[in-house]
Amino acid sequence: MTFPRTLTIFCRVVDNFGDIGICWRLARQLQSEHGIAVTLWVDDLASFRRICHEVDVAAARQQVQGVQVRHWASMDGVFTPADVSDVVIEFFAVDIPPSYVEAMAQCEPRPVWLNLEGLTAEEWVEGCHKLPSMHPRLPLTKHFFFPGFTDKTGGLLRETGLLEERARFAPAAFLRGLGLGEGEIAMQKVSLFCYPHAPVAPLLQAWQEGGRPVCCLVPEGVAADAVQAFLGAAPQAGAVATRGALTLRVLPFVPQPDYDRLLWSCDLNFVRGEDSFVRAQWAGKPFIWHIYPQDENLHHKKLRAFLQRYAGGLDSLWAFALAWNGAQAGDMGKLWPALQASLPAAAARAVQWECDMLEIGDLAANMLTFCRAIR
Ligand code: TRH
């Protein structure tokens, strides 16, 4: 009998869309590519609906694209061993309902229990990946599973056939569907997804005053203050304005697969958090990462660890990324032209990086291999 036949993911939305974005991507892939019956428990269906419009925010239980989605409304559920899956994944160390954990301990054989951790390029991850952790009271062992950028980690989420789909993709038709005119399609195109504290206003100014036309595509709700100030109007989907060399267009917040297509269509992508950061890498295009902020500027260390692996020799990309994240002072009026001039080199690096990451295999397959090894 193939293992696992069933798998459950517990996801809490701490903030924004990355938590559910990652869990949903993983759930879909395990179901569609590996034939596993997947249950996804998530506490925030409204955030889920932003990236997957089929989600019914009022449904306690629903089937979405082959995945059973359960609204995780409380920790009080009562579970029996019959409810427990072959593999149980807690995302970002969420606490699973106590009754579910008790039921896991009663299963024979016990389920494989994984804590899927956050992505970081720091070296310590290699030492912690796959480490066991015994339950203090029950006869259960949980294992840590870390995504990452080396073959001593779980690798990155990537659907089979993603790059082939990208190769077949026709950007112009997609961009027309988003409302872009031919003039915008012909410009250097940049997608912009970042947290509110990014220095967007000085960047818009640098684009406006730049020597080469730039078309910036920004999803509705992102950098709303700076976008509104530039447009002189409400930053609603469909709003567009041109000043100097910059055309700025507000896009709707699109479903997850279309977000990939947006990244594939642009010459440079500004991404953030974890999931869009990974998708930018699978777009094979230059990107600037706005890392999720953490206390005591821990995120600056993580940013540098990634740049160390990714941006060797790309000095202007490195300097831009540090300034964009507030890790180093910088003047967008100088940083942007330098970055723009280095985009061909950054594009070549993006292709090489993609090849390196492909060699690690994809996270879902690596995770299943591990589950089978420890069952
Ligand atoms: O939204 P994020 O900032 O999410 C997270 C969370 O804040 C989380 O708590 C934190 O742990 C993590 O970052 C590091 O950024 P992220 O990870 O890029 O997730 C965004 C998701 O939204 C991703 O799955 C892509 C999707 N998306 C769309 O589907 N359509 C869109 O138009 C856009 C802009 C994004």
Side-chain angles (χ1 to χ4, degrees):
M1 199 200 297
T2 50
F3 178 89
R5 285 179 304 111
T6 55
L7 182 147
T8 294
I9 303 173
F10 285 92
C11 171
R12 258 195 205 297
V13 175
V14 177
D15 205 4
N16 306 323
F17 312 104
D19 306 299
I20 185 58
I22 292 163
C23 291
W24 174 231
R25 192 180 292 293
L26 176 63
R28 248 182 322 171
Q29 188 184 3
L30 290 167
Q31 191 280 328
S32 65
E33 293 180 20
H34 299 277
I36 299 169
V38 179
T39 303
L40 171 60
W41 286 88
V42 54
D43 64 341
D44 179 353
L45 292 171
S47 294
F48 192 180
R49 193 179 152 78
R50 290 291 300 279
I51 61 164
C52 177
H53 297 169
E54 290 157 66
V55 170
D56 176 354
V57 294
R61 183 196 287 249
Q62 59 194 302
Q63 202 73 14
V64 185
Q65 296 179 24
V67 172
Q68 165 142 216
V69 174
R70 305 283 304 266
H71 185 204
W72 188 7
S74 85
M75 294 292 271
D76 302 335
V78 177
F79 298 94
T80 70
D83 298 312
V84 175
S85 298
D86 296 343
V87 174
V88 179
I89 298 175
E90 57 177 52
F91 183 68
F92 272 13
V94 294
D95 284 329
I96 296 179
S99 162
Y100 195 95
V101 178
E102 296 283 348
M104 283 164 72
Q106 290 163 28
C107 288
E108 201 53 63
R110 307 257 194 280
V112 170
W113 182 6
L114 300 182
N115 171 13
L116 176 57
E117 280 286 354
L119 174 63
T120 171
E122 292 161 297
E123 273 173 25
W124 61 263
V125 165
E126 293 186 346
C128 296
H129 180 52
K130 297 183 180 174
L131 277 189
S133 160
M134 311 277 278
H135 193 280
R137 187 171 51 82
L138 297 168
L140 286 169
T141 302
K142 163 161 79 181
H143 287 83
F144 292 92
F145 201 87
F146 281 85
F149 304 101
T150 73
D151 60 7
K152 295 189 182 65
T153 70
L156 301 174
L157 272 175
R158 173 178 47 82
E159 298 82 357
T160 302
L162 180 72
L163 301 192
E164 290 75 9
E165 191 192 331
R166 192 186 80 193
R168 289 193 301 270
F169 171 68
F174 173 74
L175 292 170
R176 275 184 215 114
L178 288 175
L180 275 77
E182 299 308 314
E184 290 162 89
I185 292 173
M187 289 180 201
Q188 184 167 52
K189 290 173 292 302
V190 181
S191 75
L192 180 62
F193 187 38
C194 59
Y195 296 110
H197 59 282
V200 174
L203 179 59
L204 297 184
Q205 193 179 344
W207 281 337
Q208 187 177 336
E209 291 166 3
R212 184 174 166 191
V214 168
C215 174
C216 172
L217 303 171
V218 56
E220 195 172 47
V222 174
D225 291 346
V227 170
Q228 169 143 6
F230 180 86
L231 294 172
Q236 289 164 349
V240 59
T242 301
R243 286 175 209 278
L246 172 61
T247 297
L248 178 67
R249 175 178 283 278
V250 182
L251 300 181
F253 201 91
V254 292
Q256 233 181 11
D258 275 347
Y259 183 64
D260 276 334
R261 297 181 184 114
L262 176 65
L263 298 176
W264 301 344
S265 303
C266 290
D267 304 290
L268 171 66
N269 294 302
F270 285 75
V271 289
R272 76 183 198 190
E274 180 169 325
D275 194 51
S276 60
F277 168 52
V278 172
R279 304 315 280 182
Q281 294 169 55
W282 295 130
K285 298 285 182 72
F287 66 90
I288 296 291
W289 182 28
H290 203 212
I291 186 168
Y292 188 76
Q294 287 179 291
D295 290 342
E296 296 169 11
N297 285 337
L298 195 63
H299 58 296
H300 288 165
K301 202 163 165 246
K302 293 184 174 181
L303 172 67
R304 286 194 169 88
F306 177 71
L307 291 172
Q308 201 87 37
R309 291 187 192 278
Y310 184 86
L314 295 172
D315 295 351
S316 40
L317 190 146
W318 194 304
F320 193 106
L322 290 179
W324 186 244
N325 284 280
Q328 185 175 284
D331 171 2
M332 284 297 154
K334 294 197 177 83
L335 289 166
W336 167 245
L339 178 65
Q340 193 176 37
S342 74
L343 285 182
R349 175 61 183 139
V351 172
Q352 179 57 52
W353 178 259
E354 180 178 291
C355 293
D356 294 349
M357 293 304 105
L358 278 173
E359 284 187 11
I360 304 170
D362 75 87
L363 185 131
N366 291 341
M367 180 185 271
L368 291 177
T369 302
F370 179 62
C371 290
R372 290 176 188 130
I374 61 165
R375 64 185 285 214

